[in-house]
């Protein structure tokens, strides 16, 4: 049976064409803006090159603006059938009824959330906001989305795994906690991309792989699923993620090693928010989290430093060996003023026991005093380094791709064991 209507096919085709144009626009615009950004002091040193060149930063802003313009212009197309006169269309397409204002509201609220995130991300790039404040930025930007969710259908129950059903029932209503979950998902998606960063091509690269995985997952649904409402949810996701992949590819081209520009925190926030929005409104937030396995690992691994059990320097990116030009993992030593506490030491010992830590120096009592910084990048380099910067990016993107394949395996094969 034709689940995807002819009108929807047309809309998808238009989305693809607009996304290609958006990508080409981004590709040609970014180089032209480089001087403007440097003049405005939006720049940073590429510290992993021997000459440490000054590169324009925050080029994620024009990228995100082109994305927004594309979506603005795209807004009418999902409703293309309603323009032709409702009665005539009604006979042609049994799915059509009165104009779906809720669908329009959904699209507008999603755009508003992404746009707010871009604004706050830019504020962070310009003002270097402190972590204790900026942690909450994504939750603030997500408010329009959650309000829409509440006023639309506001499903707040979750399906329980088979093993828990005898105790908790098939469905458990999380109520207000569901909104806490959504806020946490948004906060996680945005910041986790920002902290898996520091080498050329990594922020845009990981976002591209996740974006492509989301498209693959959407297409599997749209063309294989008899359930009309989930088809619509995944079409919605496609309308947002295809242009995202378009502009991100162009940005990645310029940010790839050796980078000619940096994406900035604006891009990381924009990317995280776009992915979170499609995950929430497309009703596949758990599958989305599977695509974020490397980011989840990087976050958990970083926790001892993020929560200051272990000293956390301003920058944790790898180090360059000036003789070979290859990257090695960067290390951390406890601050003289603030020696590492017992908890920090326990965390490090646990990581070492798990084989997730390279120790460079112990003190007389056998306590760890120098080890690699706790990021996925440094861990990869600790095991497989020294490596060139390009190969390190490729290694991380391979890990990201393997994670996506694993995600599909879990989502479509193992899922029957629990749902
Ligand atoms: C996050 C990380 C930080 C990491 C930084 C790198 C945490 C808690 N924070 O901080 O450890 O060092 O990202 O982006 O994990 N840069 C390069 N080459 C690149 C990309 C960035 O040299 O390919 C440097 C540039 O000097 C650039 C700066 O990193 O100006 C950007 O850092 P910023 O995005 O401000 O750091 P955070 O996101 O705060
Ligand atoms: Mg950053």
């Amino acid at each position: 049976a034709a689940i995807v209507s002819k009108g929807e096919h047309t809309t998808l085709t238009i989305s693809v064409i607009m996304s290609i144009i958006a990508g080409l626009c981004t590709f040609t615009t970014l180089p032209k803006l480089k001087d403007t950004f440097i003049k405005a002091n939006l720049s940073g040193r590429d510290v992993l090159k021997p000459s440490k060149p000054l590169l324009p930063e925050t080029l994620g802003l024009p990228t995100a603006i082109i994305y927004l313009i594309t979506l603005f212009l795209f807004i009418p197309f999902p409703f293309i059938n309603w323009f032709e006169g409702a009665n005539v269309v009604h006979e042609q397409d049994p799915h059509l009824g009165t104009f779906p204002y809720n669908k329009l509201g959904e699209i507008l609220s999603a755009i508003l959330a992404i746009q707010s995130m871009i604004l706050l991300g830019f504020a962070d790039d310009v003002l270097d906001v402190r972590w204790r404040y900026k942690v909450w930025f994504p939750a603030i930007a997500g408010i329009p989305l959650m309000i829409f969710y509440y006023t639309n259908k506001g499903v707040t129950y979750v399906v329980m795994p088979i093993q828990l059903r005898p105790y908790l029932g098939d469905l458990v209503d999380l109520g207000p906690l569901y909104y806490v979950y959504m806020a946490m998902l948004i906060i996680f998606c945005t910041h986790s991309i920002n902290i898996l960063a520091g080498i050329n091509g990594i922020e845009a690269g990981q976002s591209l792989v996740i974006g492509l995985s989301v498209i693959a997952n959407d297409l599997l649904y749209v063309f294989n699923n008899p359930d009309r409402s989930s088809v619509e949810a995944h079409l919605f996701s496609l309308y947002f993620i295809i242009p995202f992949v378009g502009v991100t590819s162009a940005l990645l081209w310029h940010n790839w090693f050796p980078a000619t520009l940096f994406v900035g925190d604006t891009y990381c926030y924009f990317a995280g928010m776009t992915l979170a929005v499609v995950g929430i409104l497309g009703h596949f937030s758990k599958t989305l989290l599977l695509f974020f396995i490397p980011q989840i690992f990087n976050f958990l691994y970083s926790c001892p430093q993020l929560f200051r059990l272990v000293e956390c320097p301003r920058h944790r990116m790898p180090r360059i060996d000036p003789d070979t030009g290859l990257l090695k993992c960067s290390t951390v030593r406890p601050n003289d003023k603030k020696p590492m506490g017992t908890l920090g030491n326990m965390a490090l010992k646990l990581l070492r026991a798990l084989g997730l830590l390279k120790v460079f120096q112990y003190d007389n009592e056998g306590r760890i005093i120098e080890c690699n910084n706790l990021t996925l990048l440094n861990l990869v380099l600790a095991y497989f380094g020294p490596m060139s910067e390009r190969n390190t990016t490729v290694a991380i993107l391979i890990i990201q791709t393997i994670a996506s394949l694993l995600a599909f395996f879990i989502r479509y094969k193992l899922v029957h064991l629990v749902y």
Side-chain angles (χ1 to χ4, degrees):
I3 304 149
V4 182
S5 72
K6 214 170 139 236
E8 284 163 344
H9 269 289
T10 316
T11 310
L12 265 185
T13 313
I14 291 169
S15 173
V16 171
I17 294 171
M18 287 178 80
S19 305
I20 293 172
I21 297 173
L24 293 174
C25 267
T26 313
F27 182 77
T28 54
T29 308
L30 294 185
K32 291 184 198 145
L33 291 173
K34 280 195 264 182
D35 292 338
T36 317
F37 274 70
I38 290 195
K39 264 191 218 132
N41 265 333
L42 294 167
S43 56
R45 294 268 163 205
D46 195 349
V47 295
L48 299 180
K49 307 287 181 296
S51 63
K52 309 213 183 327
L54 189 70
L55 298 187
E57 189 150 3
T58 321
L59 271 294
L61 179 70
T63 308
I65 291 176
I66 294 174
Y67 173 81
L68 282 178
I69 297 174
T70 312
L71 277 189
F72 292 163
L73 297 175
F74 178 74
I75 292 175
F77 291 105
F79 308 102
I80 203 160
N81 286 350
W82 277 271
F83 297 147
E84 297 165 11
N87 295 338
V88 189
V89 176
H90 214 102
E91 286 157 26
Q92 291 169 357
D93 187 340
H95 301 309
L96 282 181
T98 48
F99 187 84
Y101 286 102
N102 60 329
K103 284 267 154 228
L104 181 61
E106 186 173 37
I107 294 181
L108 292 179
S109 74
I111 292 180
L112 188 54
I114 295 171
Q115 189 170 328
S116 312
M117 192 70 265
I118 295 167
L119 179 68
L120 291 172
F122 186 55
D124 183 23
D125 266 325
V126 175
L127 305 172
D128 243 325
V129 183
R130 292 160 91 182
W131 265 100
R132 76 172 78 135
Y133 302 117
K134 74 178 183 189
V135 177
W136 304 108
F137 278 10
I140 296 169
I143 291 174
L145 193 78
M146 291 190 266
I147 301 270
F148 168 79
Y149 196 87
Y150 182 74
T151 55
N152 192 35
K153 259 176 265 144
V155 173
T156 54
Y157 58 78
V158 287
V159 183
M160 281 290 114
I162 293 168
Q163 290 78 1
L164 292 179
R165 276 178 208 171
Y167 313 103
L168 298 171
D170 292 2
L171 299 174
V172 167
D173 190 7
L174 291 182
L177 278 183
Y178 198 85
Y179 291 86
V180 176
Y181 163 71
M182 286 194 280
M184 278 169 41
L185 183 79
I186 296 174
I187 293 177
F188 173 77
C189 288
T190 46
H191 291 306
S192 68
I193 293 180
N194 193 21
I195 65 171
L196 185 48
I199 61 173
N200 294 176
I202 202 93
E203 296 101 325
Q206 61 185 301
S207 308
L208 183 67
V209 174
I210 300 175
L212 289 171
S213 312
V214 168
I215 292 187
N217 184 52
D218 287 336
L219 291 177
L220 278 176
Y221 262 93
V222 167
F223 293 106
N224 289 322
N225 203 297
D227 170 21
R228 189 55 212 164
S229 81
S230 82
V231 166
E232 277 179 16
H234 284 276
L235 278 171
F236 169 89
S237 164
L238 282 170
Y239 299 155
F240 276 81
I241 216 70
I242 297 173
F244 174 76
V245 164
V247 296
T248 296
S249 315
L251 179 67
L252 177 60
W253 178 277
H254 296 294
N255 182 238
W256 189 256
F257 179 92
T260 58
L261 48 80
F262 289 138
V263 303
D265 291 346
T266 309
Y267 176 77
C268 301
Y269 288 156
F270 157 58
M273 187 56 143
T274 307
L275 293 166
V277 161
V278 299
I280 290 172
L281 294 182
H283 304 294
F284 59 94
S285 62
K286 277 179 287 184
T287 310
L288 182 74
L289 280 175
L290 291 175
F291 295 144
F292 271 78
I293 290 173
Q295 285 73 14
I296 295 175
F297 174 84
N298 189 52
F299 168 71
L300 293 176
Y301 189 49
S302 292
C303 276
Q305 285 193 308
L306 296 182
F307 295 103
R308 298 296 190 275
L309 299 178
V310 175
E311 172 74 14
C312 184
R314 168 68 183 87
H315 280 295
R316 300 190 295 162
M317 73 253 291
R319 252 204 316 244
I320 181 169
D321 180 342
D323 299 329
T324 58
L326 298 179
L327 300 192
K328 296 189 299 194
C329 63
S330 60
T331 61
V332 57
R333 302 172 61 93
N335 193 324
D336 294 332
K337 280 171 268 163
K338 211 181 120 218
M340 198 186 333
T342 330
L343 269 177
N345 232 298
M346 276 165 59
L348 291 184
K349 287 208 169 121
L350 176 68
L351 288 174
R352 190 192 50 192
L354 293 169
L356 295 174
L357 193 72
K358 190 163 171 182
V359 180
F360 290 86
Q361 206 183 335
Y362 294 93
D363 69 4
N364 300 335
E365 288 142 43
R367 285 155 63 105
I368 297 165
I369 57 170
E370 186 176 3
C371 62
N372 65 281
N373 267 310
L374 304 176
T375 68
L376 178 61
L377 275 176
N378 287 310
L379 184 63
V380 166
L381 285 167
Y383 272 100
F384 304 107
M387 262 199 279
S388 70
E389 188 175 354
R390 182 196 280 121
N391 287 352
T392 313
T393 307
V394 171
I396 297 290
L397 296 187
I398 291 175
I399 293 176
Q400 189 79 54
T401 310
I402 294 173
S404 282
L405 296 176
L406 183 69
F408 279 108
F409 178 70
I410 297 174
R411 174 65 190 79
Y412 292 95
K413 293 276 177 252
L414 294 192
V415 75
H416 304 299
L417 302 177
V418 284
Y419 286 110

